[in-house]
Amino acid sequence: MKLKDIFITSAFTENSVWRQILGICSALAVTNLMKNSLIMGLGVIFTLAFANLTISFIRNWTPRSVRMMVQTLVIASYVIIVDIFLKANMPEISKQLGPYVGLIITNCILMGRAEAFASQNKPLDSFIDGIGAGVGYTLVLLVISFIRELFGFGSIFGIQVMGDWWTPWSIMVMAPSAFFILAMLIWHINTRFYKAKV
Amino acid sequence: MKDSFLFPIVFMLIMVVIFVGILAVMYRLSEEKIAAYQQDVFQRQVLALMVGKIAEATNEDVSAILDAILESYELYVKAVNTEGLERQTFIAQVADSTVAYCFEIKGKGLWGSMKALVSTTTDFRTIVDFAIVEQMETPGLGARIEEDWFLAQFRDRLFVQSPDAEDITSSYEFIAETQVPEREDQLKRVTGATITSDSVVKMLRNEFNHIYRYMQDYRS
């Protein structure tokens, strides 16, 4: 499989959110602002890519009985490395990220890709798969947060686009709105592009 | 070899040693840098909360005082030992006269503890300025208590009514974020974060009363 195909499959054809229904918790929690979604997405792309790369490098020596423990260790270590690096070298960005860096550990897409792809494929392929899965996840977050921020705050990336006439929809700011937007997104994509039966 | 009893244990141990070692080295190398940055941010916040009163007393420009952060902090801000209060206390002094106090206060939010810095007038009854230092609230919801429009409502607000430290917050009326306040006693809540917004007011009320009573005894 070519690297381009790996990326397209991982990001779109077999997207972690709309095809595998993974990473739903964070998709619901962080999507009320586009900035939050982008930051979370970038953190996940970085961690997924490097965790996949490392897990793939050591796959031939990793015993099956402890493979998931090793995967968790690698993922958690990368998340902490990102956290320390940002705190020391980019403190402003670190402050903006707040709890998001820590939240990356809980994202099930990371374990999913480590187990399904990185533990069975070459390092470069796994690295591209990680980037693809991260990009696909970020795309979903941005679509949901675009709708929520626009209707909930009248803004896009914090820039006010709706005038004073606009009455913000409070429900869009709260988590329940993400439930039905995500559900409609999954339903639409699956019926439109995968011919899934309703 | 991979199927032997010992290999998985040894392998796991090696992996733990490698990764924990990398993290420990990284942390040690960054520790000083992180601490220096945190101290710098803290000092900036303390000075920023009292800068209005310092500028009033010195007739200097606010931005000029803030631009020379290190010199201004050295010149005007002093840490005070308030034994028994158990809260970091700072004073802003201009020509040996105290113009404002700043306290580190603590409270409980929806998901965890909150830390804030609040500067007060010298009678400890009115907030001069207020900033959230640490909070564990939901990003995009409760975490929005750090936004300036929310904090600005507390500036120059009386929090201790009388020498008996009567609770003034019970007379406050809470309104939605989208509403325009019509009276002085109206406070906006962050949309979708009612408990967090109320927790901020509760923290200020409790801490202010505690500080007010302590400082009365401390002075006497």
Side-chain angles (χ1 to χ4, degrees):
Chain A
M1 211 176 184
K2 287 179 187 168
L3 293 179
K4 187 181 144 197
D5 294 332
I6 292 173
F7 179 83
I8 290 171
T9 305
S10 170
F12 304 106
T13 323
E14 288 303 317
N15 181 285
S16 301
V17 182
W18 70 63
R19 283 304 279 172
Q20 298 166 33
I21 321 292
L22 293 174
I24 301 297
C25 306
S26 51
L28 299 175
V30 305
T31 51
N32 58 353
L33 292 172
M34 288 192 82
K35 191 183 89 178
N36 292 351
S37 301
L38 184 66
I39 289 170
M40 182 68 166
L42 291 175
V44 169
I45 292 171
F46 177 86
T47 316
L48 252 171
F50 284 95
N52 265 11
L53 183 73
T54 311
I55 289 162
S56 177
F57 261 125
I58 56 171
R59 72 187 190 283
N60 292 329
W61 298 286
T62 311
R64 256 194 91 67
S65 56
V66 293
R67 74 188 189 287
M68 293 193 94
M69 285 162 70
V70 173
Q71 287 162 6
T72 311
L73 176 75
V74 172
I75 291 166
S77 300
Y78 272 110
V79 172
I80 298 168
I81 286 170
V82 173
D83 195 29
I84 294 174
F85 178 81
L86 289 177
K87 271 184 183 155
N89 301 295
M90 300 173 188
E92 285 302 322
I93 293 177
S94 172
K95 194 173 185 304
Q96 280 182 7
L97 286 170
Y100 291 123
V101 179
L103 274 177
I104 296 169
I105 297 175
T106 65
N107 196 316
C108 44
I109 296 174
L110 285 129
M111 280 298 282
R113 296 320 295 165
E115 181 67 4
F117 198 93
S119 60
Q120 295 157 30
N121 288 281
K122 291 176 188 167
L124 185 60
D125 292 358
S126 302
F127 186 72
I128 297 298
D129 175 76
I131 293 176
V135 168
Y137 168 75
T138 309
L139 194 70
V140 175
L141 293 195
L142 287 174
V143 169
I144 298 171
S145 59
F146 172 77
I147 299 167
R148 291 183 69 189
E149 186 175 341
L150 184 66
F151 292 108
F153 293 101
S155 61
I156 295 171
F157 277 110
I159 300 161
Q160 206 64 33
V161 289
M162 301 289 210
D164 293 338
W165 53 272
W166 176 253
T167 305
W169 301 4
S170 298
I171 184 75
M172 284 294 181
V173 178
M174 291 179 258
S177 67
F179 270 105
F180 58 76
I181 296 171
L182 182 64
M184 283 195 284
L185 187 76
I186 292 171
W187 165 68
H188 175 71
I189 290 172
N190 279 288
T191 49
R192 173 84 175 74
F193 299 103
Y194 296 88
K195 309 290 178 202
K197 285 180 183 172
V198 182
Chain B
M1 188 175 73
K2 272 167 72 177
D3 297 328
S4 72
F5 174 74
L6 268 181
F7 185 78
I9 300 168
V10 174
F11 182 82
M12 193 66 215
L13 267 175
I14 293 169
M15 292 305 293
V16 169
V17 169
I18 292 171
F19 278 96
V20 172
I22 292 170
L23 292 180
V25 169
M26 243 193 117
Y27 181 74
R28 274 284 175 209
L29 291 175
S30 315
E31 201 178 11
E32 264 183 46
K33 230 173 166 182
I34 295 170
Y37 171 76
Q38 284 170 344
Q39 194 190 349
D40 181 61
V41 168
F42 190 79
Q43 287 185 348
R44 267 175 205 280
Q45 276 183 320
V46 171
L47 183 69
L49 292 179
M50 299 194 285
V51 73
K53 291 285 175 193
I54 296 170
E56 258 175 42
T58 56
N59 285 326
E60 271 188 79
D61 189 40
V62 167
S63 54
I65 300 171
L66 287 175
D67 284 345
I69 165 83
L70 283 176
E71 294 80 5
S72 302
Y73 191 89
E74 283 282 311
L75 190 63
Y76 302 119
V77 182
K78 283 178 185 63
V80 181
N81 181 18
T82 42
E83 212 179 314
L85 184 65
E86 287 167 2
R87 280 145 186 82
Q88 284 198 75
T89 308
F90 303 88
I91 53 169
Q93 278 190 324
V94 177
D96 289 332
S97 166
T98 303
V99 293
Y101 281 77
C102 182
F103 298 92
E104 190 183 45
I105 58 171
K106 290 168 192 171
K108 272 178 84 177
L110 176 64
W111 300 119
S113 57
M114 287 192 286
K115 249 188 211 176
L117 279 169
V118 62
S119 57
T120 76
T121 48
T122 50
D123 62 0
F124 312 107
R125 292 171 61 190
T126 308
I127 293 178
V128 171
D129 210 345
F130 173 50
I132 303 285
V133 177
E134 273 177 36
Q135 46 87 9
M136 298 162 81
E137 302 308 290
T138 317
L141 291 174
R144 292 182 57 229
I145 53 170
E146 289 187 354
E147 289 181 7
D148 196 58
W149 67 266
F150 181 77
L151 299 171
Q153 339 177 67
F154 298 98
R155 283 177 200 142
D156 300 320
R157 191 171 280 275
L158 190 73
F159 252 80
V160 178
Q161 178 75 8
S162 67
D164 300 327
E166 189 185 317
D167 176 18
I168 195 169
T169 56
S170 54
S171 65
Y172 289 156
E173 187 193 338
F174 293 97
I175 57 171
E177 187 182 329
T178 48
Q179 269 181 270
V180 179
E182 289 166 354
R183 298 192 313 273
E184 283 272 307
D185 62 352
Q186 289 180 321
L187 277 174
K188 287 186 187 183
R189 278 178 175 139
V190 176
T191 304
T194 305
I195 297 174
T196 308
S197 304
D198 292 353
S199 301
V200 172
V201 177
K202 197 176 163 188
M203 170 177 74
L204 282 168
R205 182 193 66 201
N206 293 346
E207 293 288 275
F208 244 79
N209 280 302
H210 179 62
I211 289 165
Y212 179 78
R213 286 172 207 276
Y214 175 88
M215 292 308 283
Q216 296 307 310
D217 297 342
Y218 180 78
R219 275 183 166 177
S220 60

